[in-house]
Amino acid sequence: MTTTTGATAAPHAARGAAVRRHELAAFLRSRRERITPEQVGLPRGIRRRTPGLRREEVAQLSAVGVTWYTWLEQARDIQVSVQVLDALARTLRLDVSERAHLFQLAAAVDPTPAARCPTITPALSEMLRALEPVPACIQNSRYDILAHNRTYGRLMGDLDAVPPEDRNSLILVYTHPEWRRSIVDLEETRRFMAAKLRAAMAGHLGEPAWKMLVKRLTAESPEFRDIWERYEVMGVPVAKTKQFLNPYVGLLTMDHTDLWLNPESGARMVTYVPVNEESRERLAELDALTAPVGHG
């Protein structure tokens, strides 16, 4: 009896995997066909018959082999890494729901922070709102921004305009022009954050999300590569004063504080409290600028 059950379970699992592969192939084709060459900086040409991007263009933009990507769209039984899925999601400009669907079809776990994180309880969300106009967010030790309030979302530009998968303070500090312009002491901040990441990564060396973050930063930022190769490390920091050149209200001088929520995941609430009356008034102005219509 046990043998029979095991024998029937294996074909059932194989059929399920085959269905997922075909669904994945169809999904990739549909997403590829809706992206125009102009959207990704490629010339259209005069002989283009395929709607949207060609397979070889998706492969090139995602840094994968053309044959391998073709097999993927042919529903071949091949292994797909989370790094490749992440690259395809970016190339095909998938939104949060589409990205989740891609990883589900590939039977893989998305290592980037989800739009909704279990760490963020309704009580924590309410606490973030209650702290306004004090800018506050919740981050993990990988610098993923898991949640934020209104004023934090405008502290260094428009965080809400940043795709959820890019809402990582390291990525923003090293690659996002608006964030870089907003941080007064940018070089010290970059060194400080990279050293903290290096120290925290010792406990996460086998985790894909951490490796993907470093790989992406290394590829996209020469400054990060240079700093990362110095092997500087830093533990839990003390509170310190920071200055931001806010694009809406000007210079803000703020006291930075970390409130640790979960030692295991490294989740913490980050707050910025104005240190003088001028910053307090400008923060109130920022709060008023970002308030919903009809608020107050």
Side-chain angles (χ1 to χ4, degrees):
M1 292 292 289
T2 303
T3 304
T4 303
T5 302
T8 56
H12 179 75
R15 284 195 299 271
V19 169
R20 279 202 310 274
R21 288 198 302 273
H22 281 85
E23 287 291 325
L24 175 61
F27 181 64
L28 289 171
R29 284 195 299 271
S30 71
R31 300 303 91 175
R32 170 170 62 83
E33 291 172 356
R34 74 172 185 178
I35 302 293
T36 66
E38 293 83 357
Q39 285 179 290
V40 293
L42 295 175
R44 173 167 289 278
I46 58 176
R47 297 184 178 179
R48 182 175 295 272
R49 299 177 182 176
T50 305
L53 297 178
R54 300 186 178 102
R55 285 175 175 172
E56 57 267 29
E57 291 170 335
V58 173
Q60 177 187 353
L61 291 167
S62 304
V64 300
V66 177
T67 300
W68 187 91
Y69 180 75
T70 300
W71 286 349
L72 196 58
E73 279 204 10
Q74 291 174 345
R76 300 278 190 98
D77 188 6
I78 57 177
Q79 294 296 316
V80 190
S81 71
V82 293
Q83 290 88 346
V84 167
L85 292 171
D86 177 72
L88 290 174
R90 294 177 190 279
T91 297
L92 299 174
R93 301 191 172 195
L94 303 186
D95 63 24
V96 174
S97 298
E98 292 168 335
R99 182 184 175 94
H101 186 61
L102 172 70
F103 276 81
Q104 186 175 25
L105 289 175
V109 177
D110 188 350
T112 60
R116 291 185 177 89
C117 176
T119 302
I120 312 304
T121 64
L124 283 176
S125 297
E126 180 58 32
M127 188 180 300
L128 288 173
R129 286 191 293 269
L131 284 171
E132 294 169 358
V134 170
C137 75
I138 296 176
Q139 292 185 347
N140 59 20
S141 54
R142 201 171 56 235
Y143 283 105
D144 296 323
I145 301 171
L146 307 176
H148 64 278
N149 62 13
R150 247 185 328 105
T151 41
Y152 183 89
R154 295 298 184 273
L155 182 60
M156 288 165 279
D158 186 0
L159 182 58
D160 293 327
V162 175
E165 63 270 20
D166 292 342
R167 292 178 192 172
N168 174 284
S169 292
L170 268 168
I171 290 173
L172 293 167
V173 162
Y174 276 98
T175 69
H176 196 282
E178 197 170 36
W179 273 57
R180 289 187 297 181
R181 287 193 299 267
S182 297
I183 298 174
V184 173
D185 200 343
L186 180 62
E187 294 311 310
E188 181 186 353
T189 298
R190 283 173 163 175
R191 286 188 60 194
F192 173 81
M193 293 176 68
K196 278 183 61 183
L197 181 73
R198 172 76 74 177
M201 195 168 179
H204 304 272
L205 294 175
E207 297 180 23
W210 290 74
K211 292 188 288 187
M212 283 176 60
L213 174 61
V214 173
K215 183 178 180 180
R216 178 179 175 184
L217 285 165
T218 301
E220 296 183 10
S221 172
E223 296 86 357
F224 179 82
R225 287 199 301 272
D226 177 62
I227 292 173
W228 192 248
E229 288 171 359
R230 300 177 195 175
Y231 280 82
E232 296 176 341
V233 294
M234 180 176 293
V236 178
V238 295
K240 63 179 298 184
T241 300
K242 294 186 178 182
Q243 288 188 310
F244 303 97
L245 191 58
N246 184 269
Y248 308 102
V249 299
L251 184 66
L252 294 168
T253 304
M254 319 281 278
D255 274 339
H256 166 265
T257 304
D258 284 330
L259 305 172
W260 296 90
L261 305 175
N262 187 335
E264 291 183 3
S265 66
R268 64 190 184 276
M269 181 176 290
V270 179
T271 62
Y272 293 99
V273 177
V275 302
N276 53 43
E277 189 59 32
E278 183 179 45
S279 293
R280 192 171 293 107
E281 290 175 358
R282 289 178 177 176
L283 193 58
E285 182 183 349
L286 181 63
D287 183 48
L289 288 172
T290 60
V293 176
H295 175 73

